[in-house]
Amino acid sequence: MNKYRLTQTRSQLLKLLKNTPLPVSAEDLLQKVPVNKTTIYRQLTSMVAQGLIKPVLFTDRTLRYESADRDHHHHLICTNCKKIIDISFPENIEQTAQTSASAQKFKINTHHLEFFGLCQNCQ
Amino acid sequence: MNKYRLTQTRSQLLKLLKNTPLPVSAEDLLQKVPVNKTTIYRQLTSMVAQGLIKPVLFTDRTLRYESADRDHHHHLICTNCKKIIDISFPENIEQTAQTSASAQKFKINTHHLEFFGLCQNCQ
DNA sequence: TGACTTTTGCAACTAAGTTGCAATAATATA
DNA sequence: TATATTATTGCAACTTAGTTGCAAAAGTCA
Ligand SMILES: [Mn+2]
Ligand SMILES: [Mn+2]
Ligand SMILES: [Zn+2]
Ligand SMILES: [Zn+2]
């Protein structure tokens, strides 16, 4: 009853996305899997729809994806070497923001938070 | 001694960017100022370099700009109608995050935070 | 095995943004 | 003010991430 078929290509891509701890771009995948770029883009779209992966947009405007079975977290991004480090934020940001948002009758559902700076190597 | 010249085009664009409270895209400007798109992109780059405006990348991947003389703030974005509302966040996010970041010897300089949800009209 | 449906590759396309170059406009200086 | 200098502009051509239509290939299920 699952309309998604587990093709060779799909499993290879999923394996890579599951095993790579940090967000992967379409181009990264293209270099590692012998498949047409059209297929990469279509598979990424399909996997997002299926809830297997999540898109993460970086400020260099590259769109990357990471496995969806991760806990909610954020990223530290080195502005020099582009290294990405996962980080979890201790407080409930949405709850804090909802207080100000309520004044405008805005209902917050999700948020997106990234930090920029220098990694150990680059400082 | 200022290498930036205050041309007709530049003043028109600056005026729009100063008077529009919410982030403006290159396309927005193109529709309002009778000027070539190449000029728009070059002026935006130049104004960012000069520190007059700041680029803001939204998760829908549109790049927008807003006047740089604003206090640090964030955005509430309606996922339905794309309305943008400015919001300030009461706490020092970077300080809180720096505690976790220090474990990886990462030095935070800036951050980027957006909230998504529904505006009053769309809920 | 088929029949049915999804996935794939290919080539052509789209759209945001960039580049080189010659013409034009702004500014500095005589 | 007139002229020299340098930045800005428009244009056309280009780049590049991502998209689309279509026919062939592969996956699923009876
Ligand atoms: Mn991550
Ligand atoms: Mn704003
Ligand atoms: Zn680094
Ligand atoms: Zn709305």
Side-chain angles (χ1 to χ4, degrees):
Chain A
M1 278 296 147
N2 188 348
K3 69 169 183 170
Y4 298 103
R5 295 181 178 176
L6 197 58
T7 61
Q8 295 294 325
T9 299
R10 192 179 186 83
S11 3
Q12 285 180 70
L13 293 176
L14 262 177
K15 195 173 172 184
L16 270 174
L17 285 156
K18 293 265 176 191
N19 293 348
T20 312
L22 294 170
V24 180
S25 68
E27 212 195 322
D28 291 342
L29 295 171
L30 202 44
Q31 290 178 325
K32 290 179 186 166
V33 181
V35 75
N36 192 276
K37 70 169 177 169
T38 314
T39 302
I40 299 271
Y41 287 113
R42 284 196 279 227
Q43 278 296 341
L44 288 171
T45 304
S46 161
M47 291 177 199
V48 169
Q50 201 183 174
L52 297 175
I53 58 174
K54 282 185 184 168
V56 190
L57 179 61
F58 288 88
T59 32
D60 63 359
R61 303 193 76 181
T62 55
L63 189 54
R64 294 171 172 272
Y65 298 85
E66 64 183 3
S67 192
D69 58 15
R70 313 251 349 241
D71 287 341
H72 177 78
H73 65 279
H74 304 285
H75 296 117
L76 300 173
I77 302 163
C78 179
T79 49
N80 184 244
C81 71
K82 312 301 177 194
K83 181 179 179 184
I84 301 163
I85 300 173
D86 285 341
I87 185 181
S88 56
F89 196 82
E91 291 173 31
N92 189 331
I93 295 175
E94 284 177 30
Q95 199 174 339
T96 306
Q98 186 59 65
T99 307
S100 326
S102 294
Q104 340 256 350
K105 312 280 188 207
F106 193 98
K107 178 70 181 24
I108 295 174
N109 288 325
T110 59
H111 68 277
H112 184 214
L113 173 61
E114 281 175 4
F115 297 92
F116 302 92
L118 294 174
C119 74
Q120 186 169 19
N121 278 136
C122 295
Q123 357 191 338
Chain B
M1 278 297 149
N2 188 349
K3 68 169 185 169
Y4 298 103
R5 294 181 179 177
L6 198 58
T7 61
Q8 297 293 325
T9 300
R10 191 180 188 83
S11 5
Q12 286 180 69
L13 292 176
L14 262 178
K15 195 174 174 184
L16 270 174
L17 284 156
K18 292 264 176 195
N19 293 348
T20 311
L22 294 171
V24 181
S25 68
E27 212 196 322
D28 291 341
L29 296 170
L30 203 43
Q31 289 179 324
K32 290 179 184 165
V33 181
V35 74
N36 191 276
K37 69 170 178 170
T38 313
T39 303
I40 300 271
Y41 287 113
R42 284 196 278 227
Q43 277 297 341
L44 287 171
T45 304
S46 161
M47 291 175 196
V48 169
Q50 202 182 173
L52 296 175
I53 58 174
K54 282 184 186 171
V56 190
L57 179 60
F58 287 89
T59 32
D60 65 357
R61 307 194 72 182
T62 55
L63 188 54
R64 295 171 171 273
Y65 298 84
E66 65 181 3
S67 191
D69 58 15
R70 313 255 346 246
D71 286 342
H72 178 77
H73 66 281
H74 304 285
H75 296 117
L76 299 173
I77 302 164
C78 179
T79 48
N80 184 244
C81 72
K82 311 300 176 195
K83 181 179 178 183
I84 301 164
I85 300 172
D86 283 341
I87 186 181
S88 56
F89 196 82
E91 293 172 30
N92 189 331
I93 295 175
E94 284 178 30
Q95 199 173 341
T96 306
Q98 187 60 66
T99 306
S100 326
S102 293
Q104 342 256 347
K105 312 281 189 208
F106 193 98
K107 179 69 183 20
I108 295 174
N109 288 324
T110 59
H111 67 278
H112 184 218
L113 173 62
E114 282 174 4
F115 296 94
F116 303 90
L118 295 173
C119 74
Q120 186 168 19
N121 279 134
C122 295
Q123 2 192 330

